[in-house]
């Protein structure tokens, strides 16, 4: 057994806000995952046997390696309990897997692993009475590794939480942990987080949620730098892994809407209107376009959509002719002659770029 120290992450500060949704983003290494499994899940479970729901995106993520990592690197490493998970490998492909643990010679449900990509009606059936809480690790993906968010991911989280909350006592708490490859993700977009106000080593508090952008304890940081040579020789990787910076967002051109730009056309994606403003007096040294979200759109304005599900009155699905009209905008994107109100707009436009 390894003794735990006071250099690693503690959930006590974020729990002090008593919010239903608790989000922690940080560099690698502060031990937030271990603290979650030990302090929030396993040790309380030993006292009350209230099972937790553990969320993953894809059913293929559920395997023996995942379960082994939970117990060997997060629980048994720091206790003498020698906890052994009990489960049926035959249920892995179903996307819902129950993990039991023996306590005083009796078997109790410890966690239920639920994949968000299975049919919603099956997620709704995965109800647990007296559930202890909900946990999702690595909730921010890195597109550079070919990872993708689920379609309607935030809506799936909403539906799942609304279902599971009915059988919970008091406020059912959700915990999300991740590394900030980027501050763009479905959870922040769905919660309408003003990402410009997110600051390292601080808390961002919403009506029903709190976000902690944690940093490494200086002593832990020094120790990690001594042990991992990759952090020393790759500045960008160090900025992400040690400093906790959102490195994927660092080169996005952010700005406010200039006075000499006028609305050129409107796009609709994921229930959001995106205004594309064109520079009326541009030269080679200035941006050609500016992009921002719009709260409302003029009745005389045509809206370009990218999916049938987005179609509303006055909107058209992009045809080949319409796509041709947007080529000037696409060319400006390619030449980095477009600026954005915030990073969320940028990532939506990045998807637009792939479709025009």
């Amino acid at each position: 057994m390894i003794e735990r120290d006071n250099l690693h992450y503690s959930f006590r500060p974020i729990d002090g806000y008593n919010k239903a949704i608790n989000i922690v983003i940080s560099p690698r290494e502060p031990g937030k995952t271990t603290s979650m499994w030990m302090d929030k899940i396993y040790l309380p479970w030993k006292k009350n046997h209230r099972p937790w729901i553990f969320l993953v995106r894809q059913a293929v993520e559920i395997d023996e390696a995942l379960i082994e990592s939970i117990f060997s690197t997060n629980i048994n490493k720091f206790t003498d309990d020698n906890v052994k998970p009990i489960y049926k490998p035959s249920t892995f492909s179903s996307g819902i897997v129950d993990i039991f643990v023996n306590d005083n010679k009796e078997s109790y449900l410890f966690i239920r692993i639920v994949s968000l990509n299975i049919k919603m009606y099956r997620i709704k059936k995965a109800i647990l009475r007296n559930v202890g809480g909900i946990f999702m690790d690595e909730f921010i993906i890195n597109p550079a590794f070919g990872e993708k968010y689920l379609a309607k991911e935030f809506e799936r989280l909403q539906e799942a939480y609304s279902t599971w909350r009915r059988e919970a006592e008091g406020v059912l708490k959700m915990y999300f942990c991740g590394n900030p490859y980027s501050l763009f993700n479905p959870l922040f977009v769905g919660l309408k987080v003003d990402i410009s106000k997110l600051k390292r080593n601080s808390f961002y508090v919403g009506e029903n949620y709190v976000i902690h952008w944690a940093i490494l304890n200086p002593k832990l940081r020094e120790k990690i730098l001594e042990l991992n040579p990759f952090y020393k020789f790759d500045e960008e990787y160090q900025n992400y892994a040690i400093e906790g910076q959102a490195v994927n967002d660092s080169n996005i051109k952010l700005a406010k809407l200039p006075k000499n730009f006028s609305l050129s056309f409107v796009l609709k994606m994921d229930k959001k209107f995106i205004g594309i403003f064109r520079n009326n007096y541009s030269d080679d040294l200035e941006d050609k376009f500016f992009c921002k979200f719009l709260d409302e759109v003029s009745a005389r304005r045509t809206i370009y959509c990218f999916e049938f599900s987005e179609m509303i009155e006055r909107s058209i699905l992009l045809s080949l002719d319409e796509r041709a009209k947007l080529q000037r905008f696409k060319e400006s994107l390619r030449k980095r002659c477009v600026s954005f109100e915030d990073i969320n707009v940028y990532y939506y436009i990045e998807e637009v770029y792939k479709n025009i």
Side-chain angles (χ1 to χ4, degrees), residues 21 35 75 104 121 129 149 154 159 187 205 215 240 276 282 292 308 324 328 333 348:
I21 302 172
S35 293
I75 297 177
N104 293 325
Y121 78 87
R129 286 183 170 82
Y149 292 108
F154 182 74
E159 282 290 300
L187 187 59
V205 183
I215 63 172
Y240 144 70
I276 311 299
S282 63
K292 64 174 292 186
F308 282 108
R328 182 176 296 178
L333 284 169
Y348 274 96

Side-chain angles (χ1 to χ4, degrees), residues 29-205:
E29 313 278 5
K32 54 188 181 296
T33 299
T34 294
S35 293
M36 188 71 209
W37 283 110
M38 285 293 295
D39 300 334
K40 301 298 300 177
I41 301 177
Y42 177 62
L43 294 179
W45 177 88
K46 289 182 68 176
K47 298 177 181 179
N48 58 34
H49 292 148
R50 295 177 64 183
W52 276 62
I53 292 172
F54 180 54
L55 297 176
V56 296
R57 282 194 176 86
Q58 307 284 348
V60 295
E61 298 177 48
I62 307 175
D63 56 17
E64 293 185 0
L66 172 66
I67 298 170
E68 174 65 18
S69 69
I70 292 172
F71 287 86
S72 64
T73 63
N74 295 295
I75 297 177
N76 290 329
K77 184 177 180 179
F78 299 99
T79 73
D80 291 326
D81 294 352
N82 191 27
V83 184
K84 295 181 179 179
I86 303 168
Y87 56 91
K88 296 179 180 179
S90 60
T91 62
F92 288 172
S93 60
S94 72
I96 301 176
V97 178
D98 287 342
I99 311 294
F100 293 83
V101 168
N102 287 330
D103 189 28
N104 293 325
K105 299 182 179 180
E106 286 192 48
S107 182
Y108 298 92
L109 181 60
F110 177 55
I111 57 171
R112 173 169 290 171
I113 305 177
V114 178
S115 171
L116 286 172
N117 76 326
I118 63 176
K119 297 291 185 181
M120 183 51 66
Y121 78 87
R122 295 193 60 232
I123 291 179
K124 290 182 177 181
K125 287 183 177 180
I127 297 175
L128 276 181
R129 286 183 170 82
N130 199 30
V131 61
I134 304 167
F135 175 43
M136 185 174 187
D137 204 7
E138 305 293 349
F139 81 97
I140 299 177
I141 59 98
N142 188 353
F145 295 155
E147 301 171 336
K148 292 184 177 181
Y149 292 108
L150 299 176
K152 308 293 184 183
E153 182 167 315
F154 182 74
E155 289 79 1
R156 287 176 172 271
L157 288 169
Q158 279 184 309
E159 282 290 300
Y161 179 85
S162 297
T163 299
W164 297 331
R165 182 198 57 79
R166 297 177 192 140
E167 298 296 328
E169 295 181 3
V171 177
L172 177 60
K173 292 193 174 186
M174 301 183 80
Y175 290 83
F176 296 87
C177 292
N179 306 122
Y181 301 101
S182 167
L183 297 180
F184 173 77
N185 60 81
L187 187 59
F188 286 2
V189 173
L191 292 173
K192 296 180 172 57
V193 175
D194 184 349
I195 52 179
S196 66
K197 295 181 180 178
L198 288 174
K199 306 298 180 184
R200 295 172 66 248
N201 196 27
S202 65
F203 291 86
Y204 177 103
V205 183

